[in-house]
Amino acid sequence: MKKSHLSVGVDVPWVTSWTAEAITGVAPCASVGALALCQQEAAGFGKPEYSKNHLLRQRLSVQRMLCPMCGEPTQTGDRWTQVARRTWAGSLRRDANGMALPREIEDARVVIDAGSIAPLHKACSDLSLQHCPHLKADPNVNVQPFPELWLVTPLLIPATNETGGEPLPAVAFLQLVGVTERLDADWRRKRAAQPKARAA
């Protein structure tokens, strides 16, 4: 495919997938040290698929705290989320996907559910909010600093077992949860009042 005139990390977020980057299947991946869904790497070729994160770049962004906009490392004090939501550890454990969090994280602990999106530099966040039509149209944008403590959990998919046995778990994306210092003893009542648990 033809190389785009758009610059990766400037005009198009570094983490974005491009049409030249086909899914290749499940294979061992160093980014997670396990089986993972893999994808070709040809950023900047074809057309950007703004609604799709590249599988490897997404995992690296969370593992290494790389800004999804520019691809450079973020530092303590300059990590910002745009669409993450405040909720409770207990709510994440009880949601449909049943996120597995360490036992030492109390149910009442207020957490920042960032989903699959690593925090950005403040400058990159400001730039993307000015130019990205998807963010401009998103009513849930809420720029906030990301906590200094966080957890990473894998989003697993079943992969065909070549030996014919049970499907094997493979990592698709990595999910990120920021852990705050705040406890909310009233979280159960608040969650019951907000069935979708959109905010803490």
Side-chain angles (χ1 to χ4, degrees), residues 3 9 26 36 58 106 109-110 116 120 132 135 161:
K3 184 172 177 59
V26 172
Q58 188 279 331
E106 309 94 320
R109 180 72 58 181
V110 175
S116 61
L120 300 85
C132 177
L135 288 173
N161 189 334

Side-chain angles (χ1 to χ4, degrees), residues 113-163:
D113 181 8
S116 61
I117 305 174
L120 300 85
H121 300 110
K122 185 61 164 62
C124 291
S125 174
D126 291 345
L127 185 65
S128 64
L129 288 171
Q130 291 175 23
H131 299 287
C132 177
H134 299 285
L135 288 173
K136 287 182 178 180
D138 191 336
N140 296 313
V141 168
N142 176 26
V143 178
Q144 57 184 313
F146 195 72
E148 294 184 13
L149 177 64
W150 64 84
L151 303 168
V152 175
T153 63
L155 178 61
L156 300 174
I157 59 171
T160 302
N161 189 334
E162 294 182 355
T163 64

Side-chain angles (χ1 to χ4, degrees), residues 17-25 38-42 49 54-55:
S17 185
W18 292 70
T19 53
E21 299 180 305
I23 303 294
T24 57
C38 298
Q39 186 174 0
Q40 292 178 343
E41 295 183 63
E49 298 184 290
H54 185 274
L55 291 162

Side-chain angles (χ1 to χ4, degrees), residues 14 31 56-66:
W14 170 79
S31 68
L56 176 59
R57 292 195 291 274
Q58 188 279 331
R59 295 193 291 262
L60 291 176
S61 70
V62 171
Q63 283 281 30
R64 301 178 183 178
M65 278 290 154
L66 304 178

